[in-house]
Amino acid sequence: MDLFLQQTLDGLATGAIYASLALAVVMIYQAIDHFNFAQGEMAMFSTFIAWQLIAWGMPYWAAFLICLAFSFIGGMLIERVIFAPIHDAPVLSHIVIFIALTLIFNALAGFVWDFTIKEFPSPFPDKLPFESTLIGPHEFGVVGITLVMLGLIYVFFRFTPVGLAMRAAAANPVSAALVGISVKRMLGLGWGLAAVVGAVAGMMIAPKVYLEPNMMLGILLYGFAGAVVGGLTSPGGAVVGGFLMGVLENLAGTYIIGSELKLTFALVVIVAVLLFKPAGLFGRVVVMRV
Amino acid sequence: MASHDPRANPADSYLLFGIAMPKVRMITLVVGIALAITLPFMVSNFAVFQMTQVLVYAIAVLGLNLLTGYNGQFSLGHSAFYALGAYTTAIMIDRYEIEYYWTILPAGIVCFIGGFLFGLPALRLEGLYLALATFALAVATPQLLRYEHFEEFTGGVQGIDVFKPDSPISGLNADQYLYFFVLVVGALLILGAWNLVRGRTGRAMIAIRDNPIAASTMGINTSLYKSITFGVSGFYTGIAGALGAIVAEFVAPDSFTFFLSVWFLVGMVVGGLASIPAAIAGGIFILYMPNVSEEVISLFFGNDPSAKALIWVAFGLFLIFTVYVVPNGLAGLIRQGIAKLARRPGA
């Protein structure tokens, strides 16, 4: 039973990472109807920037905040410079650009910081404030930070005028523009926020998997799986899906398939959900008119 | 008179530098074939090896192009079919001691079945979702190939060594022989693809790409054709994988990562969609572009190993450039050039 609880709680910690990435993916999907295949590499790049700042002697939380600011601006720039001009281009063009960005971020990180693995510090104390053998201090901190961030994002979208405008721009761009919302600015803002959420995920997972340019590929796959399970039209669902994937990954790894087929597990989940319940657990069923 | 034939393509009556278009195409084809046959006798063994690799990539890109260019379905998972073909061949040669030339077709058939089965769910996975599912397939493949319970067949992390066949023809060395072997297989596949896309099946594929709803109204079984196209695409890429295993003399899980799929995608996009010669151009590009950029980079950074990563940055920038400036790729560029230069007879 202890093993089961341990694996579940540990799964919640990685699930928090998947939930963040799933949320980032869904935010961009809501805004431009495309999957950001470069989300993982963007997060990895942000994490490298934080690592560099810390290596230059900056305290962790200062580096954390500067990295978030940088990610926000970077995300907005990517939207404005690369995606705004091809807004109406065919799907393939978008996929190709996302793949190109993946290549660029991956290789650029390798060029600047080389491909050897690096230790990334955990900001949390070595000991929990209470006695527990079930969850480590870093895992506890990750879940805490993620929940705080998700809470802030919820409050932002639910209770601020900008959040409302962003939701309007994603739900119905034409009507939103008619009531005076700058849809373009909202798109940029969405990209910036998604990059920030991804950067937090990257900085939280890096102490566990070590920092290197290829660290996010498998994690992004789980993020996608979380988004698909929860429903691509539902940000809240994507978060739940991410946590669910973290727990399922650990339990399946412990009791069924072993640790060597974790990526295959994500593949099976993605294909199965898309086949049998394409809207996911919480998504809206999209009806196409012919 | 040819000009009154309703089946005639009006563009065929145009002249390029005073030569009729069908003749221009024939001349290009003959020159191309002559080059393909004579070049391996004029260059070094290493260059022949590279040319063989170009053909292998071209076949894989052609497979992807049949799926995306002609049928409008996306795949980021073609590295998985390439791997399936390569491992089928390697296992047949290494474990069952079957002669290499008997392994090519089975590898293709295995991949046809694999592609068809993966394509079946693709009926429900429209566009973007298919890209996501195939992305997952590509990311999961290396881990699956390393899996310890398959190790008996796949050789696990070590992979499998495949030995290069000796040349049975005197006057050809092993590299040249392998080149011609791949060339013949490639030529057959190109001929097959050319017939496929010009026939009934090809028209159905293109109709589904351009307007799936209208296509099904016209009585085309869209689900069947989409699955079959996925299977055929897998067949081509699988054969490329099989040939690639023989050419590289080696298969291992880490050769078939997600980035291999990216290469095929790059080759297809740079060469141009829905064009068969474009696949060859794409093959040339993905083989030589890294070499050329490596030389350019070493001019600036010397032999710094991490500077090699810049090749990929260049690749990425080039992709973005292609999408923005030449969305139809090299083939589209050439088509445009011909359209500018060609004149109507008598004009």
Side-chain angles (χ1 to χ4, degrees), chain A residues 29 33 82 100 103 107 221 224 232 260-264 267 274-275, chain B residues 121 124-125 128-129 132 136-137 143-144 147-148 213 309 312 316 324:
Chain A
Y29 181 73
D33 281 329
I82 296 176
L103 274 183
L221 188 60
F224 273 129
L232 287 156
E260 282 184 47
L261 286 180
K262 284 191 167 178
L263 295 175
T264 313
L267 164 71
L274 289 180
L275 271 184
Chain B
R124 291 197 60 174
L125 308 184
L128 212 51
Y129 295 97
L132 179 58
L137 180 66
Q143 209 183 40
L144 210 54
Y147 188 49
E148 55 181 353
I213 294 162
W312 296 95
Y324 273 63

PDB file of all heavy atoms in Angstrom, chain A residues 29 33 82 100 103 107 221 224 232 260-264 267 274-275, chain B residues 121 124-125 128-129 132 136-137 143-144 147-148 213 309 312 316 324:
ATOM      1  N   TYR A  29      -3.552  26.139 -28.600  1.00  0.00           N
ATOM      2  CA  TYR A  29      -4.537  25.486 -29.466  1.00  0.00           C
ATOM      3  C   TYR A  29      -5.829  26.301 -29.518  1.00  0.00           C
ATOM      4  O   TYR A  29      -6.428  26.489 -30.572  1.00  0.00           O
ATOM      5  CB  TYR A  29      -4.819  24.070 -28.957  1.00  0.00           C
ATOM      6  CG  TYR A  29      -5.799  23.321 -29.819  1.00  0.00           C
ATOM      7  CD1 TYR A  29      -5.420  22.858 -31.072  1.00  0.00           C
ATOM      8  CD2 TYR A  29      -7.102  23.091 -29.394  1.00  0.00           C
ATOM      9  CE1 TYR A  29      -6.309  22.189 -31.878  1.00  0.00           C
ATOM     10  CE2 TYR A  29      -8.003  22.414 -30.197  1.00  0.00           C
ATOM     11  CZ  TYR A  29      -7.599  21.966 -31.441  1.00  0.00           C
ATOM     12  OH  TYR A  29      -8.495  21.312 -32.237  1.00  0.00           O
ATOM     13  N   ASP A  33      -5.696  27.288 -33.057  1.00  0.00           N
ATOM     14  CA  ASP A  33      -6.117  25.997 -33.617  1.00  0.00           C
ATOM     15  C   ASP A  33      -4.968  25.147 -34.112  1.00  0.00           C
ATOM     16  O   ASP A  33      -5.115  24.412 -35.100  1.00  0.00           O
ATOM     17  CB  ASP A  33      -7.122  26.194 -34.758  1.00  0.00           C
ATOM     18  CG  ASP A  33      -8.509  26.484 -34.217  1.00  0.00           C
ATOM     19  OD1 ASP A  33      -8.819  25.983 -33.130  1.00  0.00           O
ATOM     20  OD2 ASP A  33      -9.270  27.216 -34.886  1.00  0.00           O
ATOM     21  N   ILE A  82       6.844  35.346 -36.277  1.00  0.00           N
ATOM     22  CA  ILE A  82       6.794  34.142 -37.105  1.00  0.00           C
ATOM     23  C   ILE A  82       5.373  33.733 -37.457  1.00  0.00           C
ATOM     24  O   ILE A  82       5.097  33.391 -38.608  1.00  0.00           O
ATOM     25  CB  ILE A  82       7.533  32.987 -36.403  1.00  0.00           C
ATOM     26  CG1 ILE A  82       9.009  33.370 -36.269  1.00  0.00           C
ATOM     27  CG2 ILE A  82       7.402  31.692 -37.186  1.00  0.00           C
ATOM     28  CD1 ILE A  82       9.828  32.393 -35.519  1.00  0.00           C
ATOM     29  N   ALA A 100      10.339  23.477 -37.430  1.00  0.00           N
ATOM     30  CA  ALA A 100      11.543  24.290 -37.623  1.00  0.00           C
ATOM     31  C   ALA A 100      11.955  24.941 -36.303  1.00  0.00           C
ATOM     32  O   ALA A 100      13.138  24.969 -35.944  1.00  0.00           O
ATOM     33  CB  ALA A 100      11.294  25.350 -38.691  1.00  0.00           C
ATOM     34  N   LEU A 103      13.636  22.446 -34.080  1.00  0.00           N
ATOM     35  CA  LEU A 103      15.026  22.260 -34.498  1.00  0.00           C
ATOM     36  C   LEU A 103      15.893  23.407 -34.016  1.00  0.00           C
ATOM     37  O   LEU A 103      16.977  23.204 -33.462  1.00  0.00           O
ATOM     38  CB  LEU A 103      15.105  22.221 -36.023  1.00  0.00           C
ATOM     39  CG  LEU A 103      14.892  20.896 -36.733  1.00  0.00           C
ATOM     40  CD1 LEU A 103      15.081  21.097 -38.219  1.00  0.00           C
ATOM     41  CD2 LEU A 103      15.888  19.881 -36.221  1.00  0.00           C
ATOM     42  N   ALA A 107      18.887  22.927 -31.329  1.00  0.00           N
ATOM     43  CA  ALA A 107      20.273  23.036 -31.775  1.00  0.00           C
ATOM     44  C   ALA A 107      20.952  24.269 -31.185  1.00  0.00           C
ATOM     45  O   ALA A 107      22.132  24.239 -30.846  1.00  0.00           O
ATOM     46  CB  ALA A 107      20.311  23.086 -33.300  1.00  0.00           C
ATOM     47  N   LEU A 221       5.519  14.853 -24.897  1.00  0.00           N
ATOM     48  CA  LEU A 221       4.586  13.819 -25.346  1.00  0.00           C
ATOM     49  C   LEU A 221       3.545  13.557 -24.266  1.00  0.00           C
ATOM     50  O   LEU A 221       2.346  13.449 -24.550  1.00  0.00           O
ATOM     51  CB  LEU A 221       5.357  12.535 -25.674  1.00  0.00           C
ATOM     52  CG  LEU A 221       4.517  11.441 -26.328  1.00  0.00           C
ATOM     53  CD1 LEU A 221       3.945  11.939 -27.637  1.00  0.00           C
ATOM     54  CD2 LEU A 221       5.350  10.197 -26.553  1.00  0.00           C
ATOM     55  N   PHE A 224       1.130  16.425 -24.179  1.00  0.00           N
ATOM     56  CA  PHE A 224       0.117  16.258 -25.222  1.00  0.00           C
ATOM     57  C   PHE A 224      -0.927  15.231 -24.797  1.00  0.00           C
ATOM     58  O   PHE A 224      -2.127  15.440 -24.963  1.00  0.00           O
ATOM     59  CB  PHE A 224       0.768  15.794 -26.531  1.00  0.00           C
ATOM     60  CG  PHE A 224       1.269  16.923 -27.391  1.00  0.00           C
ATOM     61  CD1 PHE A 224       2.556  16.933 -27.880  1.00  0.00           C
ATOM     62  CD2 PHE A 224       0.423  17.968 -27.725  1.00  0.00           C
ATOM     63  CE1 PHE A 224       3.019  17.962 -28.682  1.00  0.00           C
ATOM     64  CE2 PHE A 224       0.876  19.004 -28.526  1.00  0.00           C
ATOM     65  CZ  PHE A 224       2.180  19.005 -29.002  1.00  0.00           C
ATOM     66  N   LEU A 232      -9.045  18.987 -25.628  1.00  0.00           N
ATOM     67  CA  LEU A 232      -8.272  20.109 -26.157  1.00  0.00           C
ATOM     68  C   LEU A 232      -9.032  21.420 -26.098  1.00  0.00           C
ATOM     69  O   LEU A 232      -8.451  22.482 -26.270  1.00  0.00           O
ATOM     70  CB  LEU A 232      -7.864  19.798 -27.594  1.00  0.00           C
ATOM     71  CG  LEU A 232      -6.756  18.743 -27.669  1.00  0.00           C
ATOM     72  CD1 LEU A 232      -6.768  18.044 -28.999  1.00  0.00           C
ATOM     73  CD2 LEU A 232      -5.404  19.390 -27.412  1.00  0.00           C
ATOM     74  N   GLU A 260      10.446   0.817 -19.099  1.00  0.00           N
ATOM     75  CA  GLU A 260      11.063   0.952 -20.414  1.00  0.00           C
ATOM     76  C   GLU A 260      10.097   1.301 -21.531  1.00  0.00           C
ATOM     77  O   GLU A 260      10.519   1.595 -22.636  1.00  0.00           O
ATOM     78  CB  GLU A 260      11.790  -0.344 -20.781  1.00  0.00           C
ATOM     79  CG  GLU A 260      13.119  -0.482 -20.096  1.00  0.00           C
ATOM     80  CD  GLU A 260      13.822  -1.736 -20.564  1.00  0.00           C
ATOM     81  OE1 GLU A 260      13.862  -1.949 -21.765  1.00  0.00           O
ATOM     82  OE2 GLU A 260      14.285  -2.494 -19.705  1.00  0.00           O
ATOM     83  N   LEU A 261       8.818   1.207 -21.258  1.00  0.00           N
ATOM     84  CA  LEU A 261       7.858   1.458 -22.340  1.00  0.00           C
ATOM     85  C   LEU A 261       6.976   2.669 -22.045  1.00  0.00           C
ATOM     86  O   LEU A 261       5.864   2.766 -22.539  1.00  0.00           O
ATOM     87  CB  LEU A 261       6.981   0.220 -22.567  1.00  0.00           C
ATOM     88  CG  LEU A 261       7.675  -0.939 -23.275  1.00  0.00           C
ATOM     89  CD1 LEU A 261       6.720  -2.096 -23.454  1.00  0.00           C
ATOM     90  CD2 LEU A 261       8.208  -0.506 -24.630  1.00  0.00           C
ATOM     91  N   LYS A 262       7.504   3.608 -21.246  1.00  0.00           N
ATOM     92  CA  LYS A 262       6.656   4.724 -20.835  1.00  0.00           C
ATOM     93  C   LYS A 262       6.183   5.555 -22.022  1.00  0.00           C
ATOM     94  O   LYS A 262       5.037   5.996 -22.054  1.00  0.00           O
ATOM     95  CB  LYS A 262       7.425   5.614 -19.855  1.00  0.00           C
ATOM     96  CG  LYS A 262       7.497   4.969 -18.483  1.00  0.00           C
ATOM     97  CD  LYS A 262       8.000   5.915 -17.428  1.00  0.00           C
ATOM     98  CE  LYS A 262       7.741   5.326 -16.055  1.00  0.00           C
ATOM     99  NZ  LYS A 262       8.236   6.176 -14.972  1.00  0.00           N
ATOM    100  N   LEU A 263       7.060   5.769 -23.009  1.00  0.00           N
ATOM    101  CA  LEU A 263       6.655   6.581 -24.164  1.00  0.00           C
ATOM    102  C   LEU A 263       5.602   5.850 -24.996  1.00  0.00           C
ATOM    103  O   LEU A 263       4.673   6.467 -25.513  1.00  0.00           O
ATOM    104  CB  LEU A 263       7.868   6.933 -25.017  1.00  0.00           C
ATOM    105  CG  LEU A 263       8.887   7.832 -24.332  1.00  0.00           C
ATOM    106  CD1 LEU A 263      10.100   8.033 -25.204  1.00  0.00           C
ATOM    107  CD2 LEU A 263       8.266   9.183 -23.997  1.00  0.00           C
ATOM    108  N   THR A 264       5.762   4.517 -25.094  1.00  0.00           N
ATOM    109  CA  THR A 264       4.761   3.733 -25.818  1.00  0.00           C
ATOM    110  C   THR A 264       3.407   3.844 -25.130  1.00  0.00           C
ATOM    111  O   THR A 264       2.368   3.906 -25.788  1.00  0.00           O
ATOM    112  CB  THR A 264       5.201   2.262 -25.895  1.00  0.00           C
ATOM    113  OG1 THR A 264       6.554   2.237 -26.286  1.00  0.00           O
ATOM    114  CG2 THR A 264       4.356   1.493 -26.874  1.00  0.00           C
ATOM    115  N   LEU A 267       1.854   6.937 -26.216  1.00  0.00           N
ATOM    116  CA  LEU A 267       1.369   6.771 -27.592  1.00  0.00           C
ATOM    117  C   LEU A 267       0.026   6.058 -27.601  1.00  0.00           C
ATOM    118  O   LEU A 267      -0.934   6.498 -28.260  1.00  0.00           O
ATOM    119  CB  LEU A 267       2.402   5.969 -28.395  1.00  0.00           C
ATOM    120  CG  LEU A 267       1.936   5.368 -29.727  1.00  0.00           C
ATOM    121  CD1 LEU A 267       1.723   6.459 -30.747  1.00  0.00           C
ATOM    122  CD2 LEU A 267       2.941   4.362 -30.269  1.00  0.00           C
ATOM    123  N   LEU A 274      -8.002   9.586 -28.927  1.00  0.00           N
ATOM    124  CA  LEU A 274      -8.427  10.229 -30.172  1.00  0.00           C
ATOM    125  C   LEU A 274      -9.406   9.341 -30.929  1.00  0.00           C
ATOM    126  O   LEU A 274     -10.298   9.820 -31.626  1.00  0.00           O
ATOM    127  CB  LEU A 274      -7.208  10.532 -31.051  1.00  0.00           C
ATOM    128  CG  LEU A 274      -6.307  11.662 -30.549  1.00  0.00           C
ATOM    129  CD1 LEU A 274      -5.142  11.876 -31.489  1.00  0.00           C
ATOM    130  CD2 LEU A 274      -7.098  12.964 -30.412  1.00  0.00           C
ATOM    131  N   LEU A 275      -9.249   8.014 -30.784  1.00  0.00           N
ATOM    132  CA  LEU A 275     -10.140   7.104 -31.495  1.00  0.00           C
ATOM    133  C   LEU A 275     -11.508   7.020 -30.855  1.00  0.00           C
ATOM    134  O   LEU A 275     -12.532   7.087 -31.529  1.00  0.00           O
ATOM    135  CB  LEU A 275      -9.535   5.702 -31.490  1.00  0.00           C
ATOM    136  CG  LEU A 275      -8.618   5.382 -32.638  1.00  0.00           C
ATOM    137  CD1 LEU A 275      -8.175   3.940 -32.556  1.00  0.00           C
ATOM    138  CD2 LEU A 275      -9.348   5.629 -33.941  1.00  0.00           C
TER     139      LEU A 275
ATOM    140  N   PRO B 121      -7.185   4.021 -37.982  1.00  0.00           N
ATOM    141  CA  PRO B 121      -7.650   5.039 -37.036  1.00  0.00           C
ATOM    142  C   PRO B 121      -7.541   6.441 -37.620  1.00  0.00           C
ATOM    143  O   PRO B 121      -8.294   7.334 -37.262  1.00  0.00           O
ATOM    144  CB  PRO B 121      -6.727   4.882 -35.830  1.00  0.00           C
ATOM    145  CG  PRO B 121      -5.723   3.874 -36.172  1.00  0.00           C
ATOM    146  CD  PRO B 121      -6.123   3.195 -37.411  1.00  0.00           C
ATOM    147  N   ARG B 124     -10.427   8.637 -38.438  1.00  0.00           N
ATOM    148  CA  ARG B 124     -11.100   9.508 -37.474  1.00  0.00           C
ATOM    149  C   ARG B 124     -10.214  10.670 -37.077  1.00  0.00           C
ATOM    150  O   ARG B 124     -10.682  11.632 -36.496  1.00  0.00           O
ATOM    151  CB  ARG B 124     -11.491   8.706 -36.239  1.00  0.00           C
ATOM    152  CG  ARG B 124     -12.587   7.723 -36.543  1.00  0.00           C
ATOM    153  CD  ARG B 124     -13.243   7.245 -35.295  1.00  0.00           C
ATOM    154  NE  ARG B 124     -13.859   8.326 -34.524  1.00  0.00           N
ATOM    155  CZ  ARG B 124     -14.589   8.093 -33.454  1.00  0.00           C
ATOM    156  NH1 ARG B 124     -14.775   6.863 -33.046  1.00  0.00           N
ATOM    157  NH2 ARG B 124     -15.116   9.093 -32.780  1.00  0.00           N
ATOM    158  N   LEU B 125      -8.919  10.542 -37.343  1.00  0.00           N
ATOM    159  CA  LEU B 125      -7.998  11.589 -36.924  1.00  0.00           C
ATOM    160  C   LEU B 125      -7.790  12.569 -38.068  1.00  0.00           C
ATOM    161  O   LEU B 125      -7.009  12.305 -38.962  1.00  0.00           O
ATOM    162  CB  LEU B 125      -6.658  10.986 -36.515  1.00  0.00           C
ATOM    163  CG  LEU B 125      -6.694   9.853 -35.499  1.00  0.00           C
ATOM    164  CD1 LEU B 125      -5.282   9.453 -35.134  1.00  0.00           C
ATOM    165  CD2 LEU B 125      -7.445  10.270 -34.266  1.00  0.00           C
ATOM    166  N   LEU B 128      -4.649  17.612 -38.136  1.00  0.00           N
ATOM    167  CA  LEU B 128      -3.776  17.932 -37.025  1.00  0.00           C
ATOM    168  C   LEU B 128      -3.646  16.789 -36.027  1.00  0.00           C
ATOM    169  O   LEU B 128      -2.569  16.523 -35.502  1.00  0.00           O
ATOM    170  CB  LEU B 128      -4.372  19.151 -36.329  1.00  0.00           C
ATOM    171  CG  LEU B 128      -3.415  20.093 -35.694  1.00  0.00           C
ATOM    172  CD1 LEU B 128      -2.343  20.484 -36.658  1.00  0.00           C
ATOM    173  CD2 LEU B 128      -4.171  21.322 -35.243  1.00  0.00           C
ATOM    174  N   TYR B 129      -4.768  16.083 -35.788  1.00  0.00           N
ATOM    175  CA  TYR B 129      -4.737  14.995 -34.817  1.00  0.00           C
ATOM    176  C   TYR B 129      -3.866  13.861 -35.308  1.00  0.00           C
ATOM    177  O   TYR B 129      -3.195  13.189 -34.536  1.00  0.00           O
ATOM    178  CB  TYR B 129      -6.158  14.500 -34.540  1.00  0.00           C
ATOM    179  CG  TYR B 129      -6.997  15.542 -33.885  1.00  0.00           C
ATOM    180  CD1 TYR B 129      -7.856  16.334 -34.614  1.00  0.00           C
ATOM    181  CD2 TYR B 129      -6.906  15.742 -32.515  1.00  0.00           C
ATOM    182  CE1 TYR B 129      -8.609  17.318 -34.014  1.00  0.00           C
ATOM    183  CE2 TYR B 129      -7.651  16.718 -31.900  1.00  0.00           C
ATOM    184  CZ  TYR B 129      -8.502  17.506 -32.652  1.00  0.00           C
ATOM    185  OH  TYR B 129      -9.231  18.485 -32.048  1.00  0.00           O
ATOM    186  N   LEU B 132      -0.415  14.676 -34.571  1.00  0.00           N
ATOM    187  CA  LEU B 132      -0.113  14.422 -33.158  1.00  0.00           C
ATOM    188  C   LEU B 132       0.124  12.937 -32.912  1.00  0.00           C
ATOM    189  O   LEU B 132       1.100  12.549 -32.258  1.00  0.00           O
ATOM    190  CB  LEU B 132      -1.273  14.939 -32.300  1.00  0.00           C
ATOM    191  CG  LEU B 132      -1.125  14.737 -30.796  1.00  0.00           C
ATOM    192  CD1 LEU B 132       0.127  15.418 -30.300  1.00  0.00           C
ATOM    193  CD2 LEU B 132      -2.334  15.282 -30.069  1.00  0.00           C
ATOM    194  N   ALA B 136       3.621  11.111 -31.755  1.00  0.00           N
ATOM    195  CA  ALA B 136       3.777  10.195 -30.629  1.00  0.00           C
ATOM    196  C   ALA B 136       4.456   8.910 -31.075  1.00  0.00           C
ATOM    197  O   ALA B 136       5.336   8.381 -30.387  1.00  0.00           O
ATOM    198  CB  ALA B 136       2.415   9.899 -30.007  1.00  0.00           C
ATOM    199  N   LEU B 137       4.055   8.426 -32.255  1.00  0.00           N
ATOM    200  CA  LEU B 137       4.658   7.198 -32.783  1.00  0.00           C
ATOM    201  C   LEU B 137       6.168   7.368 -32.960  1.00  0.00           C
ATOM    202  O   LEU B 137       6.961   6.515 -32.557  1.00  0.00           O
ATOM    203  CB  LEU B 137       4.004   6.851 -34.120  1.00  0.00           C
ATOM    204  CG  LEU B 137       4.499   5.600 -34.836  1.00  0.00           C
ATOM    205  CD1 LEU B 137       4.144   4.363 -34.029  1.00  0.00           C
ATOM    206  CD2 LEU B 137       3.924   5.503 -36.238  1.00  0.00           C
ATOM    207  N   GLN B 143      12.460   3.862 -28.126  1.00  0.00           N
ATOM    208  CA  GLN B 143      12.313   3.145 -26.865  1.00  0.00           C
ATOM    209  C   GLN B 143      11.768   1.737 -27.088  1.00  0.00           C
ATOM    210  O   GLN B 143      12.202   0.773 -26.462  1.00  0.00           O
ATOM    211  CB  GLN B 143      11.349   3.929 -25.963  1.00  0.00           C
ATOM    212  CG  GLN B 143      11.627   3.742 -24.499  1.00  0.00           C
ATOM    213  CD  GLN B 143      10.617   4.464 -23.646  1.00  0.00           C
ATOM    214  OE1 GLN B 143       9.424   4.481 -23.931  1.00  0.00           O
ATOM    215  NE2 GLN B 143      11.100   5.085 -22.584  1.00  0.00           N
ATOM    216  N   LEU B 144      10.852   1.638 -28.036  1.00  0.00           N
ATOM    217  CA  LEU B 144      10.263   0.345 -28.368  1.00  0.00           C
ATOM    218  C   LEU B 144      11.320  -0.597 -28.953  1.00  0.00           C
ATOM    219  O   LEU B 144      11.340  -1.791 -28.660  1.00  0.00           O
ATOM    220  CB  LEU B 144       9.130   0.570 -29.377  1.00  0.00           C
ATOM    221  CG  LEU B 144       7.949  -0.384 -29.373  1.00  0.00           C
ATOM    222  CD1 LEU B 144       7.341  -0.475 -27.991  1.00  0.00           C
ATOM    223  CD2 LEU B 144       6.912   0.082 -30.377  1.00  0.00           C
ATOM    224  N   TYR B 147      13.507  -2.108 -26.287  1.00  0.00           N
ATOM    225  CA  TYR B 147      12.801  -2.855 -25.251  1.00  0.00           C
ATOM    226  C   TYR B 147      13.419  -4.236 -25.064  1.00  0.00           C
ATOM    227  O   TYR B 147      13.637  -4.964 -26.029  1.00  0.00           O
ATOM    228  CB  TYR B 147      11.328  -2.968 -25.634  1.00  0.00           C
ATOM    229  CG  TYR B 147      10.457  -3.558 -24.567  1.00  0.00           C
ATOM    230  CD1 TYR B 147      10.531  -3.077 -23.264  1.00  0.00           C
ATOM    231  CD2 TYR B 147       9.570  -4.578 -24.847  1.00  0.00           C
ATOM    232  CE1 TYR B 147       9.722  -3.603 -22.280  1.00  0.00           C
ATOM    233  CE2 TYR B 147       8.760  -5.110 -23.873  1.00  0.00           C
ATOM    234  CZ  TYR B 147       8.836  -4.621 -22.583  1.00  0.00           C
ATOM    235  OH  TYR B 147       8.044  -5.138 -21.590  1.00  0.00           O
ATOM    236  N   GLU B 148      13.693  -4.613 -23.799  1.00  0.00           N
ATOM    237  CA  GLU B 148      14.508  -5.798 -23.538  1.00  0.00           C
ATOM    238  C   GLU B 148      13.833  -7.097 -23.967  1.00  0.00           C
ATOM    239  O   GLU B 148      14.500  -8.054 -24.330  1.00  0.00           O
ATOM    240  CB  GLU B 148      14.893  -5.866 -22.058  1.00  0.00           C
ATOM    241  CG  GLU B 148      13.712  -5.815 -21.126  1.00  0.00           C
ATOM    242  CD  GLU B 148      14.130  -5.849 -19.664  1.00  0.00           C
ATOM    243  OE1 GLU B 148      15.321  -6.050 -19.410  1.00  0.00           O
ATOM    244  OE2 GLU B 148      13.260  -5.690 -18.802  1.00  0.00           O
ATOM    245  N   ILE B 213     -15.275  16.312 -48.677  1.00  0.00           N
ATOM    246  CA  ILE B 213     -16.728  16.157 -48.685  1.00  0.00           C
ATOM    247  C   ILE B 213     -17.228  15.964 -50.112  1.00  0.00           C
ATOM    248  O   ILE B 213     -18.013  15.057 -50.401  1.00  0.00           O
ATOM    249  CB  ILE B 213     -17.389  17.382 -48.024  1.00  0.00           C
ATOM    250  CG1 ILE B 213     -17.005  17.403 -46.543  1.00  0.00           C
ATOM    251  CG2 ILE B 213     -18.892  17.329 -48.178  1.00  0.00           C
ATOM    252  CD1 ILE B 213     -17.216  18.732 -45.877  1.00  0.00           C
ATOM    253  N   ALA B 309      26.029  21.856 -34.147  1.00  0.00           N
ATOM    254  CA  ALA B 309      24.614  22.055 -33.868  1.00  0.00           C
ATOM    255  C   ALA B 309      24.041  23.177 -34.733  1.00  0.00           C
ATOM    256  O   ALA B 309      22.855  23.194 -35.025  1.00  0.00           O
ATOM    257  CB  ALA B 309      24.401  22.359 -32.391  1.00  0.00           C
ATOM    258  N   TRP B 312      21.789  22.459 -37.649  1.00  0.00           N
ATOM    259  CA  TRP B 312      20.344  22.280 -37.447  1.00  0.00           C
ATOM    260  C   TRP B 312      19.648  23.612 -37.343  1.00  0.00           C
ATOM    261  O   TRP B 312      18.501  23.747 -37.772  1.00  0.00           O
ATOM    262  CB  TRP B 312      20.110  21.423 -36.205  1.00  0.00           C
ATOM    263  CG  TRP B 312      20.652  20.072 -36.416  1.00  0.00           C
ATOM    264  CD1 TRP B 312      21.877  19.607 -36.047  1.00  0.00           C
ATOM    265  CD2 TRP B 312      20.031  19.017 -37.144  1.00  0.00           C
ATOM    266  NE1 TRP B 312      22.035  18.320 -36.473  1.00  0.00           N
ATOM    267  CE2 TRP B 312      20.925  17.925 -37.144  1.00  0.00           C
ATOM    268  CE3 TRP B 312      18.792  18.882 -37.778  1.00  0.00           C
ATOM    269  CZ2 TRP B 312      20.626  16.729 -37.759  1.00  0.00           C
ATOM    270  CZ3 TRP B 312      18.496  17.680 -38.388  1.00  0.00           C
ATOM    271  CH2 TRP B 312      19.411  16.628 -38.376  1.00  0.00           C
ATOM    272  N   GLY B 316      16.601  24.722 -39.703  1.00  0.00           N
ATOM    273  CA  GLY B 316      15.353  25.303 -39.221  1.00  0.00           C
ATOM    274  C   GLY B 316      15.051  26.620 -39.909  1.00  0.00           C
ATOM    275  O   GLY B 316      13.931  26.848 -40.377  1.00  0.00           O
ATOM    276  N   TYR B 324       7.893  30.621 -46.133  1.00  0.00           N
ATOM    277  CA  TYR B 324       7.525  32.009 -46.405  1.00  0.00           C
ATOM    278  C   TYR B 324       7.682  32.370 -47.874  1.00  0.00           C
ATOM    279  O   TYR B 324       6.828  33.026 -48.452  1.00  0.00           O
ATOM    280  CB  TYR B 324       8.418  32.955 -45.591  1.00  0.00           C
ATOM    281  CG  TYR B 324       7.902  33.232 -44.219  1.00  0.00           C
ATOM    282  CD1 TYR B 324       7.774  32.199 -43.294  1.00  0.00           C
ATOM    283  CD2 TYR B 324       7.536  34.511 -43.820  1.00  0.00           C
ATOM    284  CE1 TYR B 324       7.311  32.431 -42.043  1.00  0.00           C
ATOM    285  CE2 TYR B 324       7.067  34.749 -42.546  1.00  0.00           C
ATOM    286  CZ  TYR B 324       6.961  33.706 -41.668  1.00  0.00           C
ATOM    287  OH  TYR B 324       6.494  33.947 -40.422  1.00  0.00           O
TER     288      TYR B 324
END
